[in-house]
Short mmCIF file of all heavy atoms in Angstrom, two decimals:
data_model
loop_
_atom_site.label_atom_id
_atom_site.label_comp_id
_atom_site.label_asym_id
_atom_site.label_seq_id
_atom_site.Cartn_x
_atom_site.Cartn_y
_atom_site.Cartn_z
N ALA A 17 1.84 4.89 5.62
CA ALA A 17 0.77 4.49 6.53
C ALA A 17 1.37 3.99 7.83
O ALA A 17 2.56 3.63 7.90
CB ALA A 17 -0.09 3.40 5.89
N THR A 18 0.54 3.96 8.85
CA THR A 18 0.97 3.51 10.18
C THR A 18 -0.10 2.61 10.78
O THR A 18 -1.30 2.84 10.60
CB THR A 18 1.21 4.71 11.10
OG1 THR A 18 2.19 5.57 10.51
CG2 THR A 18 1.72 4.27 12.47
N ARG A 19 0.34 1.58 11.53
CA ARG A 19 -0.58 0.74 12.30
C ARG A 19 0.17 0.15 13.48
O ARG A 19 1.41 0.12 13.51
CB ARG A 19 -1.18 -0.37 11.44
CG ARG A 19 -0.20 -1.47 11.04
CD ARG A 19 -0.95 -2.69 10.52
NE ARG A 19 -0.07 -3.73 10.01
CZ ARG A 19 0.53 -4.65 10.76
NH1 ARG A 19 0.39 -4.63 12.09
NH2 ARG A 19 1.30 -5.57 10.20
N ALA A 20 -0.59 -0.36 14.40
CA ALA A 20 0.01 -0.98 15.58
C ALA A 20 0.27 -2.46 15.31
O ALA A 20 -0.36 -3.08 14.45
CB ALA A 20 -0.90 -0.81 16.78
N TYR A 21 1.18 -3.02 16.05
CA TYR A 21 1.46 -4.46 15.99
C TYR A 21 0.19 -5.25 16.30
O TYR A 21 -0.64 -4.85 17.12
CB TYR A 21 2.57 -4.81 16.99
CG TYR A 21 2.77 -6.29 17.16
CD1 TYR A 21 3.45 -7.03 16.20
CD2 TYR A 21 2.25 -6.97 18.27
CE1 TYR A 21 3.63 -8.40 16.34
CE2 TYR A 21 2.43 -8.34 18.43
CZ TYR A 21 3.11 -9.05 17.45
OH TYR A 21 3.27 -10.41 17.60
N ASP A 22 0.03 -6.38 15.62
CA ASP A 22 -1.08 -7.31 15.83
C ASP A 22 -2.42 -6.71 15.42
O ASP A 22 -3.47 -7.07 15.97
CB ASP A 22 -1.12 -7.79 17.29
CG ASP A 22 -1.89 -9.11 17.43
OD1 ASP A 22 -1.89 -9.89 16.45
OD2 ASP A 22 -2.50 -9.35 18.48
N THR A 23 -2.38 -5.80 14.44
CA THR A 23 -3.62 -5.29 13.83
C THR A 23 -3.50 -5.45 12.32
O THR A 23 -2.40 -5.60 11.78
CB THR A 23 -3.88 -3.82 14.18
OG1 THR A 23 -2.79 -3.02 13.66
CG2 THR A 23 -4.01 -3.60 15.69
N ALA A 24 -4.64 -5.42 11.66
CA ALA A 24 -4.64 -5.59 10.20
C ALA A 24 -4.04 -4.37 9.52
O ALA A 24 -4.07 -3.25 10.05
CB ALA A 24 -6.07 -5.81 9.71
N ASN A 25 -3.49 -4.61 8.37
CA ASN A 25 -2.98 -3.50 7.57
C ASN A 25 -4.13 -2.58 7.17
O ASN A 25 -5.23 -3.05 6.88
CB ASN A 25 -2.28 -4.00 6.30
CG ASN A 25 -0.96 -4.67 6.57
OD1 ASN A 25 -0.28 -4.35 7.55
ND2 ASN A 25 -0.59 -5.62 5.73
N PRO A 26 -3.89 -1.28 7.17
CA PRO A 26 -4.95 -0.36 6.72
C PRO A 26 -5.11 -0.44 5.20
O PRO A 26 -4.32 -1.09 4.51
CB PRO A 26 -4.40 1.00 7.15
CG PRO A 26 -2.92 0.85 7.09
CD PRO A 26 -2.65 -0.58 7.52
N SER A 27 -6.11 0.22 4.69
CA SER A 27 -6.27 0.35 3.23
C SER A 27 -5.23 1.36 2.74
O SER A 27 -5.21 2.51 3.20
CB SER A 27 -7.68 0.83 2.87
OG SER A 27 -8.63 -0.14 3.24
N PHE A 28 -4.39 0.91 1.85
CA PHE A 28 -3.33 1.78 1.36
C PHE A 28 -3.86 2.69 0.26
O PHE A 28 -4.80 2.34 -0.48
CB PHE A 28 -2.16 0.96 0.82
CG PHE A 28 -1.53 0.08 1.86
CD1 PHE A 28 -1.36 -1.28 1.64
CD2 PHE A 28 -1.08 0.61 3.06
CE1 PHE A 28 -0.78 -2.10 2.58
CE2 PHE A 28 -0.49 -0.20 4.02
CZ PHE A 28 -0.33 -1.55 3.79
N THR A 29 -3.28 3.86 0.14
CA THR A 29 -3.66 4.82 -0.88
C THR A 29 -2.42 5.31 -1.61
O THR A 29 -1.29 5.09 -1.17
CB THR A 29 -4.41 6.03 -0.28
OG1 THR A 29 -3.54 6.69 0.65
CG2 THR A 29 -5.69 5.59 0.43
N GLY A 30 -2.66 5.99 -2.71
CA GLY A 30 -1.55 6.54 -3.48
C GLY A 30 -2.05 7.47 -4.56
O GLY A 30 -3.25 7.79 -4.62
N THR A 31 -1.16 7.90 -5.41
CA THR A 31 -1.52 8.81 -6.49
C THR A 31 -0.90 8.32 -7.80
O THR A 31 0.16 7.69 -7.81
CB THR A 31 -1.02 10.24 -6.22
OG1 THR A 31 0.40 10.21 -6.02
CG2 THR A 31 -1.71 10.83 -4.99
N VAL A 32 -1.60 8.63 -8.88
CA VAL A 32 -1.10 8.38 -10.23
C VAL A 32 -1.08 9.71 -10.96
O VAL A 32 -2.12 10.38 -11.05
CB VAL A 32 -1.98 7.37 -11.00
CG1 VAL A 32 -1.49 7.20 -12.43
CG2 VAL A 32 -2.02 6.03 -10.28
N THR A 33 0.06 10.11 -11.47
CA THR A 33 0.17 11.37 -12.20
C THR A 33 0.78 11.12 -13.57
O THR A 33 1.62 10.24 -13.74
CB THR A 33 1.03 12.40 -11.43
OG1 THR A 33 2.32 11.83 -11.16
CG2 THR A 33 0.38 12.78 -10.11
N GLY A 34 0.32 11.90 -14.54
CA GLY A 34 0.87 11.81 -15.90
C GLY A 34 -0.08 11.19 -16.90
O GLY A 34 0.28 11.08 -18.08
N ALA A 35 -1.29 10.79 -16.48
CA ALA A 35 -2.24 10.21 -17.43
C ALA A 35 -2.68 11.27 -18.43
O ALA A 35 -2.93 12.42 -18.08
CB ALA A 35 -3.45 9.65 -16.69
N VAL A 36 -2.76 10.87 -19.70
CA VAL A 36 -3.18 11.78 -20.77
C VAL A 36 -4.26 11.11 -21.60
O VAL A 36 -4.55 9.92 -21.44
CB VAL A 36 -1.99 12.19 -21.67
CG1 VAL A 36 -0.95 12.99 -20.88
CG2 VAL A 36 -1.33 10.95 -22.29
N ASN A 37 -4.85 11.88 -22.48
CA ASN A 37 -5.81 11.37 -23.46
C ASN A 37 -7.02 10.69 -22.82
O ASN A 37 -7.62 9.80 -23.42
CB ASN A 37 -5.09 10.39 -24.41
CG ASN A 37 -5.86 10.13 -25.69
OD1 ASN A 37 -6.49 11.03 -26.24
ND2 ASN A 37 -5.80 8.90 -26.17
N GLY A 38 -7.35 11.08 -21.59
CA GLY A 38 -8.50 10.50 -20.92
C GLY A 38 -8.30 9.10 -20.40
O GLY A 38 -9.26 8.44 -19.99
N ASP A 39 -7.06 8.60 -20.40
CA ASP A 39 -6.80 7.25 -19.90
C ASP A 39 -7.03 7.18 -18.40
O ASP A 39 -6.70 8.11 -17.66
CB ASP A 39 -5.36 6.84 -20.22
CG ASP A 39 -5.10 6.73 -21.72
OD1 ASP A 39 -6.08 6.55 -22.47
OD2 ASP A 39 -3.93 6.80 -22.13
N LYS A 40 -7.59 6.06 -17.95
CA LYS A 40 -7.91 5.86 -16.54
C LYS A 40 -7.06 4.73 -15.97
O LYS A 40 -6.86 3.70 -16.63
CB LYS A 40 -9.40 5.52 -16.37
CG LYS A 40 -10.35 6.55 -16.97
CD LYS A 40 -10.27 7.88 -16.23
CE LYS A 40 -11.30 8.88 -16.79
NZ LYS A 40 -11.19 10.20 -16.14
N PHE A 41 -6.61 4.91 -14.72
CA PHE A 41 -5.76 3.92 -14.08
C PHE A 41 -6.23 3.63 -12.66
O PHE A 41 -6.79 4.50 -12.00
CB PHE A 41 -4.30 4.40 -14.06
CG PHE A 41 -3.72 4.58 -15.43
CD1 PHE A 41 -3.67 5.83 -16.01
CD2 PHE A 41 -3.25 3.50 -16.14
CE1 PHE A 41 -3.17 6.00 -17.28
CE2 PHE A 41 -2.75 3.66 -17.42
CZ PHE A 41 -2.69 4.91 -17.99
N THR A 42 -5.98 2.41 -12.23
CA THR A 42 -6.32 1.98 -10.88
C THR A 42 -5.05 1.48 -10.21
O THR A 42 -4.35 0.62 -10.75
CB THR A 42 -7.36 0.85 -10.91
OG1 THR A 42 -8.52 1.31 -11.60
CG2 THR A 42 -7.75 0.44 -9.49
N GLU A 43 -4.78 2.01 -9.02
CA GLU A 43 -3.59 1.60 -8.27
C GLU A 43 -3.92 0.40 -7.39
O GLU A 43 -5.05 0.23 -6.95
CB GLU A 43 -3.05 2.71 -7.37
CG GLU A 43 -3.04 4.08 -7.97
CD GLU A 43 -4.23 4.91 -7.53
OE1 GLU A 43 -5.36 4.61 -7.93
OE2 GLU A 43 -4.01 5.87 -6.75
N SER A 44 -2.92 -0.41 -7.13
CA SER A 44 -3.01 -1.46 -6.12
C SER A 44 -1.70 -1.47 -5.36
O SER A 44 -0.68 -0.94 -5.85
CB SER A 44 -3.29 -2.83 -6.74
OG SER A 44 -2.30 -3.15 -7.70
N PHE A 45 -1.73 -2.05 -4.15
CA PHE A 45 -0.56 -1.94 -3.28
C PHE A 45 -0.28 -3.28 -2.61
O PHE A 45 -1.20 -4.06 -2.35
CB PHE A 45 -0.80 -0.87 -2.20
CG PHE A 45 -1.20 0.46 -2.77
CD1 PHE A 45 -2.53 0.78 -2.94
CD2 PHE A 45 -0.24 1.39 -3.16
CE1 PHE A 45 -2.91 2.00 -3.48
CE2 PHE A 45 -0.61 2.60 -3.70
CZ PHE A 45 -1.95 2.92 -3.87
N ALA A 46 0.98 -3.51 -2.35
CA ALA A 46 1.39 -4.75 -1.68
C ALA A 46 2.43 -4.42 -0.62
O ALA A 46 3.19 -3.44 -0.75
CB ALA A 46 1.96 -5.73 -2.69
N THR A 47 2.47 -5.23 0.43
CA THR A 47 3.49 -5.08 1.46
C THR A 47 3.82 -6.46 2.02
O THR A 47 2.99 -7.39 1.95
CB THR A 47 3.03 -4.15 2.59
OG1 THR A 47 4.10 -3.95 3.52
CG2 THR A 47 1.82 -4.71 3.32
N THR A 48 5.01 -6.58 2.56
CA THR A 48 5.41 -7.85 3.17
C THR A 48 4.94 -7.95 4.61
O THR A 48 5.04 -9.03 5.20
CB THR A 48 6.95 -7.98 3.12
OG1 THR A 48 7.54 -6.86 3.79
CG2 THR A 48 7.44 -8.04 1.67
N ALA A 49 4.41 -6.89 5.17
CA ALA A 49 3.98 -6.90 6.57
C ALA A 49 2.68 -7.67 6.74
O ALA A 49 1.73 -7.47 5.99
CB ALA A 49 3.83 -5.47 7.08
N THR A 50 2.67 -8.54 7.72
CA THR A 50 1.44 -9.24 8.11
C THR A 50 1.01 -8.76 9.48
O THR A 50 1.70 -7.95 10.12
CB THR A 50 1.68 -10.76 8.13
OG1 THR A 50 2.63 -11.06 9.17
CG2 THR A 50 2.21 -11.26 6.78
N THR A 51 -0.11 -9.28 9.94
CA THR A 51 -0.63 -8.86 11.24
C THR A 51 0.40 -9.06 12.35
O THR A 51 0.53 -8.24 13.27
CB THR A 51 -1.92 -9.64 11.57
OG1 THR A 51 -2.88 -9.40 10.54
CG2 THR A 51 -2.51 -9.20 12.91
N THR A 52 1.16 -10.13 12.26
CA THR A 52 2.11 -10.46 13.34
C THR A 52 3.53 -10.00 13.03
O THR A 52 4.47 -10.42 13.72
CB THR A 52 2.10 -11.98 13.57
OG1 THR A 52 2.41 -12.65 12.35
CG2 THR A 52 0.73 -12.44 14.08
N SER A 53 3.72 -9.19 12.02
CA SER A 53 5.06 -8.68 11.74
C SER A 53 5.54 -7.80 12.88
O SER A 53 4.75 -7.06 13.50
CB SER A 53 5.07 -7.88 10.43
OG SER A 53 4.82 -8.72 9.33
N ASN A 54 6.81 -7.90 13.19
CA ASN A 54 7.38 -7.12 14.28
C ASN A 54 7.28 -5.63 13.99
O ASN A 54 7.14 -5.20 12.85
CB ASN A 54 8.85 -7.49 14.50
CG ASN A 54 9.02 -8.92 15.00
OD1 ASN A 54 8.14 -9.44 15.70
ND2 ASN A 54 10.13 -9.54 14.63
N ALA A 55 7.35 -4.84 15.06
CA ALA A 55 7.38 -3.39 14.91
C ALA A 55 8.56 -3.01 14.02
O ALA A 55 9.64 -3.59 14.11
CB ALA A 55 7.48 -2.72 16.27
N GLY A 56 8.34 -2.04 13.15
CA GLY A 56 9.38 -1.61 12.23
C GLY A 56 8.77 -0.97 11.00
O GLY A 56 7.58 -0.63 10.98
N THR A 57 9.58 -0.82 9.97
CA THR A 57 9.13 -0.17 8.73
C THR A 57 9.18 -1.17 7.59
O THR A 57 10.18 -1.87 7.41
CB THR A 57 10.02 1.05 8.41
OG1 THR A 57 9.99 1.97 9.49
CG2 THR A 57 9.53 1.75 7.14
N TYR A 58 8.10 -1.19 6.79
CA TYR A 58 7.96 -2.13 5.69
C TYR A 58 7.57 -1.35 4.42
O TYR A 58 6.82 -0.38 4.50
CB TYR A 58 6.90 -3.18 5.99
CG TYR A 58 7.22 -4.00 7.22
CD1 TYR A 58 6.87 -3.54 8.49
CD2 TYR A 58 7.87 -5.22 7.12
CE1 TYR A 58 7.17 -4.28 9.63
CE2 TYR A 58 8.16 -5.98 8.24
CZ TYR A 58 7.82 -5.50 9.50
OH TYR A 58 8.12 -6.24 10.61
N PRO A 59 8.09 -1.78 3.27
CA PRO A 59 7.75 -1.06 2.04
C PRO A 59 6.30 -1.31 1.62
O PRO A 59 5.78 -2.41 1.78
CB PRO A 59 8.72 -1.62 1.01
CG PRO A 59 9.05 -2.99 1.51
CD PRO A 59 9.02 -2.90 3.01
N ILE A 60 5.68 -0.27 1.09
CA ILE A 60 4.39 -0.38 0.43
C ILE A 60 4.68 -0.20 -1.06
O ILE A 60 5.08 0.88 -1.50
CB ILE A 60 3.40 0.69 0.90
CG1 ILE A 60 3.20 0.61 2.41
CG2 ILE A 60 2.07 0.56 0.17
CD1 ILE A 60 2.40 1.79 2.98
N THR A 61 4.51 -1.26 -1.83
CA THR A 61 4.88 -1.25 -3.25
C THR A 61 3.64 -1.03 -4.11
O THR A 61 2.71 -1.84 -4.06
CB THR A 61 5.55 -2.57 -3.64
OG1 THR A 61 6.66 -2.81 -2.77
CG2 THR A 61 6.02 -2.53 -5.09
N PRO A 62 3.63 0.05 -4.89
CA PRO A 62 2.45 0.31 -5.73
C PRO A 62 2.57 -0.35 -7.10
O PRO A 62 3.68 -0.62 -7.59
CB PRO A 62 2.46 1.83 -5.86
CG PRO A 62 3.93 2.16 -5.88
CD PRO A 62 4.59 1.16 -4.95
N SER A 63 1.43 -0.61 -7.71
CA SER A 63 1.37 -1.03 -9.11
C SER A 63 0.13 -0.40 -9.71
O SER A 63 -0.70 0.17 -9.00
CB SER A 63 1.35 -2.55 -9.24
OG SER A 63 0.23 -3.09 -8.57
N VAL A 64 0.01 -0.48 -11.04
CA VAL A 64 -1.08 0.21 -11.71
C VAL A 64 -1.62 -0.63 -12.85
O VAL A 64 -0.87 -1.38 -13.49
CB VAL A 64 -0.61 1.60 -12.22
CG1 VAL A 64 0.45 1.46 -13.30
CG2 VAL A 64 -1.78 2.45 -12.70
#
């Protein structure tokens, strides 16, 4: 994802592959970047 400095983080998206037997999963995402984080690249860490 991409955003400009001093703006809110966008809604992150992702994919889950490998589910079997009709199991359902919901992804969530975290990042260390805040609105005032300097320009640069920050990890988006997924969980399920």
Side-chain angles (χ1 to χ4, degrees):
T18 303
R19 71 165 175 83
Y21 171 77
D22 202 29
T23 61
N25 289 331
S27 295
F28 299 127
T29 61
T31 57
V32 176
T33 56
V36 296
N37 197 37
D39 295 338
K40 304 294 184 183
F41 297 98
T42 303
E43 318 99 290
S44 57
F45 306 91
T47 185
T48 57
T50 65
T51 302
T52 57
S53 293
N54 294 329
T57 302
Y58 300 85
I60 302 171
T61 305
S63 59
V64 65

